[in-house]
Amino acid sequence: MQTSCTTHPNASKKKERFPFALICLTLGAFAIGMTEFVIMGILPNVASDLSVTIPQAGQLITGYALGVAIGAPVLTILTNRIPQKPLLCILMAIFILGNFIGAIAPTYELLMGSRLLTALAHGTFLGTGSLIATQLVRPEKRAGAVSMVLAGLTISNIIGVPFGTMIGQNMGWRASFIAITIMGIISLIGIILLIPKIEQTTEASLSKEVRSLFQPQVLLVLATGAFGACSMFTVFTYITPLMTDITGFQESSVTWILVMYGVGVTFGNMIGGRLADWKLMPSMIAIYSVLTALLFILSGVLHYPVLTLIFVFLWGAAAFAILPGIQLRIMNLAHEAPRLAATSSHSALNVGNASGAFIGGFIITHAGLAYIPLTGALMAAMGIIGAVLSYNQVEKRKRAVN
């Protein structure tokens, strides 16, 4: 696997141009974020059209997340000799094909299959894109570069998901997938035109890659990230019925609620990147603590529309503030397997996504929709434990060195 880049005469020029390359990576993440999250806004429409229940439709999210979790490391290993830019092109082509199939899928089963196909591109694209981003900036700016790539996911929540939801509610949910397909084509063109070629020479053996990835510290951080993602998707998967059935908003208002949530997500991602560059582990512990508190409070204010909107915004900010730190922490720990590590972090997060969607459906069936935020808070509390354990191990290693 190719793991390091050489310095060449154009390196400094590339670093000067890095915003353009990072913007291109952000566009790809935008399209991926749109296909991952737009289903939440049109979940009732999909369920009604395909004659399935809301929890069954929610499994389209579980299936997608499991596709990322399983497909990302497998695809990364299988494509380890492909240069990064051609690999990004291949992944975006898979993404485009999967969304097009989803747009024309006549049955629930075929739609599920298209989601699984699309999911293959997700983790490997974001992992490879994050790695490229860290190579285009100075070392002290790496978390900020990763957060800019991940900003594509957050911006998709402000623009892409609400737009896709509005299209789906007014023109049918299939139109949402057509819009995503077009976005993918635009992203592919951007990758071809704007991503620079990064010269790479060092290769690591597969066994060394796996050993680096399966260090206890790395596994602990992966689990910590998974709990954070589980917390978010336990709630976010069912955000539409929460807002309409409990808080009392009209379905047409969900689009604007998602815009507001997306603004919070983007704000949180930016702050999270800065905090991770400043104090990585302490900031992660603090963010998980805030996330837990916000979800506990949200569970108690769902019948108050104004308070619900405030805490949905704050919850979105806290949920995504975690991601840059998780990604950077894993790449720091598994430095001998940066590409596999960066990809596997998205696998872990999507194990959390899948678990959250499943747990949320289970809670709705056996306890009721109102208990969804409380369940998300319990998952976030597990993330606090993981972050504290990881921080303590860091401090022990520092004391041992001194």
Side-chain angles (χ1 to χ4, degrees):
M1 179 181 292
Q2 299 167 329
T3 60
S4 66
C5 59
T6 60
T7 302
H8 50 84
N10 293 326
S12 60
K13 292 182 179 179
K14 284 183 178 179
K15 288 182 184 279
E16 291 173 1
R17 299 198 313 266
F18 82 85
F20 299 102
L22 289 180
I23 288 170
C24 180
L25 295 172
T26 302
L27 285 173
F30 178 95
I32 288 174
M34 193 172 174
T35 200
E36 180 178 17
F37 296 122
V38 75
I39 191 87
M40 285 76 162
I42 57 175
L43 202 64
N45 309 79
V46 174
S48 176
D49 187 56
L50 298 180
S51 301
V52 297
T53 66
I54 290 290
Q56 285 176 318
Q59 299 316 305
L60 291 168
I61 299 162
T62 300
Y64 182 92
L66 288 176
V68 177
I70 297 170
V74 172
L75 197 60
T76 299
I77 291 171
L78 293 177
T79 60
N80 68 324
R81 294 186 181 276
I82 300 178
Q84 291 170 347
K85 180 174 179 176
L87 176 59
L88 289 180
C89 293
I90 293 170
L91 294 170
M92 191 51 65
I94 293 173
F95 174 86
I96 293 167
L97 177 62
N99 278 289
F100 179 73
I101 293 173
I104 63 174
T107 65
Y108 173 82
E109 292 74 18
L110 187 56
L111 180 58
M112 178 67 80
S114 73
R115 296 282 289 173
L116 291 172
L117 176 62
T118 306
L120 292 177
H122 182 121
T124 308
F125 183 96
L126 293 178
T128 303
S130 295
L131 181 59
I132 290 175
T134 63
Q135 296 169 342
L136 292 172
V137 298
R138 298 188 302 275
E140 68 274 14
K141 299 293 184 181
R142 291 188 303 155
V146 171
S147 72
M148 184 169 178
V149 175
L150 296 179
L153 298 179
T154 66
I155 295 171
S156 73
N157 279 279
I158 299 176
I159 302 173
V161 173
F163 179 67
T165 298
M166 182 177 64
I167 290 175
Q169 291 176 350
N170 291 279
M171 301 175 62
W173 63 268
R174 297 178 190 279
S176 298
F177 284 91
I178 290 293
I180 295 168
T181 302
I182 295 171
M183 189 68 237
I185 293 171
I186 295 172
S187 299
L188 179 58
I189 294 171
I191 291 168
I192 294 171
L193 296 179
L194 298 177
I195 291 292
K197 181 180 178 182
I198 298 177
E199 299 293 339
Q200 298 168 301
T201 58
T202 305
E203 293 188 0
S205 67
L206 181 58
S207 61
K208 189 175 182 180
E209 294 277 347
V210 173
R211 284 197 305 270
S212 180
L213 184 63
F214 279 84
Q215 300 173 63
Q217 265 277 35
V218 175
L219 294 177
L220 177 58
V221 178
L222 289 173
T224 301
F227 278 115
C230 181
S231 168
M232 184 178 74
F233 268 70
T234 298
V235 182
F236 192 48
T237 299
Y238 305 100
I239 189 68
T240 297
L242 272 173
M243 295 298 100
T244 57
D245 296 354
I246 294 183
T247 309
F249 288 105
Q250 296 296 316
E251 186 181 70
S252 59
S253 299
V254 173
T255 296
W256 305 110
I257 294 172
L258 290 175
V259 170
M260 184 195 65
Y261 173 85
V263 172
V265 159
T266 302
F267 176 76
N269 181 68
M270 293 170 58
I271 295 299
R274 291 180 179 273
L275 289 175
D277 276 327
W278 176 53
K279 295 285 185 181
L280 179 55
M281 293 309 300
S283 70
M284 283 178 55
I285 295 171
I287 293 168
Y288 267 109
S289 300
V290 170
L291 177 61
T292 302
L294 289 172
L295 284 171
F296 269 117
I297 296 171
L298 179 61
S299 69
V301 301
L302 280 174
H303 292 286
Y304 303 93
V306 174
L307 290 176
T308 295
L309 291 178
I310 292 171
F311 282 97
V312 164
F313 172 85
L314 295 174
W315 159 58
F320 266 73
I322 293 169
L323 298 185
I326 291 288
Q327 184 80 319
L328 182 62
R329 176 70 173 148
I330 290 170
M331 288 191 291
N332 286 344
L333 289 170
H335 56 88
E336 294 182 344
R339 185 162 149 187
L340 185 57
T343 299
S344 295
S345 68
H346 291 284
S347 292
L349 293 174
N350 277 274
V351 168
N353 294 354
S355 300
F358 177 81
I359 290 170
F362 180 86
I363 294 298
I364 290 172
T365 302
H366 294 88
L369 190 61
Y371 289 92
I372 290 294
L374 182 61
T375 305
L378 295 176
M379 295 300 104
M382 297 299 294
I384 298 174
I385 295 173
V388 170
L389 289 174
S390 181
Y391 179 65
N392 286 340
Q393 290 184 17
V394 171
E395 291 302 303
K396 286 180 181 179
R397 188 165 63 249
K398 287 182 179 178
R399 287 194 295 268
V401 171
N402 295 330

